[in-house]
Amino acid sequence: MSKNMEPNLGHSSKDTKCFERTYTTLDDLELLAFRDYGKIQDYAGETWLTLKQDLLQTLQNQPDWGIREAQVDIFLHEGLIDDAIKTVERDTYYDSKLVHRVMDAAVSYCEDWVIGNAKRRAEPIMEQGKADRYDAAVNWLKKAKAAYVQLGQKAEWSAYRSQLEAAHGWKRKLMELFKELNK
């Protein structure tokens, strides 16, 4: 499992000493954080473009090594929204902050993904009557609304919202939270 990344930082051993943390194996990638990505860029100097491509390719090929947050941070920083989406696709936590961040970045790029993903997360919460999670459902619906608006489909959003209100109108707590969707 230790695929060698062999970074060549292009610095003298004195400079390299300053950069105590190198990432030579996939096991080392588990320690990677976004701040480290910036450090690697700083120390790589002229070799950054090559090293960056190798690092991004390695991150893209690792479905989940416990570094999803760093992957998302790096992909969003580099404008690789599709890779960020791929990274969070299997995240099933009902209120994932990481998915929220990717949706915020993707709302003007991949509106249909935002709408579908937000609905897929909000609807089960409402259908199962999980009142303690209604706020999470409404937060997902805010993402869907933003994507509908981005697409110029306000009428479709209104129809979807009306459909939800018809199905769940008797859930007072949920309907109270729905007022946030008017903002």
Side-chain angles (χ1 to χ4, degrees):
M1 264 202 243
S2 293
K3 178 181 174 185
N4 198 343
M5 288 174 39
E6 300 178 21
N8 176 4
L9 298 178
H11 289 276
S12 69
S13 60
K14 181 181 175 188
D15 291 336
T16 305
K17 242 184 182 179
C18 293
F19 185 61
E20 296 175 8
R21 193 184 228 176
T22 58
Y23 300 92
T24 57
T25 67
L26 292 179
D27 296 331
D28 294 332
L29 281 176
E30 292 177 18
L31 304 173
L32 183 66
F34 182 67
R35 69 179 180 282
D36 298 319
Y37 184 74
K39 289 178 185 176
I40 293 170
Q41 181 178 0
D42 291 344
Y43 286 106
E46 295 175 13
T47 63
W48 171 241
L49 291 179
T50 302
L51 182 60
K52 173 180 152 180
Q53 292 307 316
D54 292 343
L55 182 57
L56 289 173
Q57 183 177 11
T58 300
L59 289 172
Q60 289 164 336
N61 293 331
Q62 302 313 311
D64 190 6
W65 283 88
I67 59 165
R68 287 182 326 117
E69 187 169 350
Q71 284 175 300
V72 166
D73 288 340
I74 291 167
F75 292 147
L76 292 179
H77 174 76
E78 294 295 340
L80 300 171
I81 296 173
D82 289 327
D83 290 314
I85 288 171
K86 183 179 173 186
T87 302
V88 299
E89 266 301 310
R90 291 176 294 158
D91 188 333
T92 59
Y93 182 58
Y94 80 95
D95 194 22
S96 172
K97 301 300 180 211
L98 207 53
V99 175
H100 277 281
R101 287 185 29 229
V102 173
M103 283 186 179
D104 288 340
V107 73
S108 62
Y109 170 77
C110 196
E111 299 89 345
D112 291 331
W113 176 79
V114 173
I115 291 168
N117 200 296
K119 286 180 171 183
R120 179 174 57 87
R121 292 170 185 281
E123 289 171 358
I125 294 170
M126 295 180 292
E127 289 165 6
Q128 295 168 13
K130 295 187 176 188
D132 61 323
R133 296 182 178 181
Y134 285 162
D135 58 332
V138 170
N139 286 334
W140 292 122
L141 293 174
K142 288 177 184 177
K143 303 294 183 196
K145 177 184 177 184
Y148 275 114
V149 169
Q150 182 70 30
L151 286 170
Q153 297 179 352
K154 290 180 182 179
E156 288 84 348
W157 162 251
S158 293
Y160 176 65
R161 180 184 168 155
S162 294
Q163 182 182 28
L164 292 175
E165 289 172 333
H168 304 287
W170 58 274
K171 299 173 182 172
R172 283 184 261 162
K173 180 179 178 180
L174 180 60
M175 291 302 104
E176 186 63 32
L177 290 169
F178 259 48
K179 292 177 183 175
E180 293 178 27
L181 296 172
N182 293 330
K183 297 176 184 175

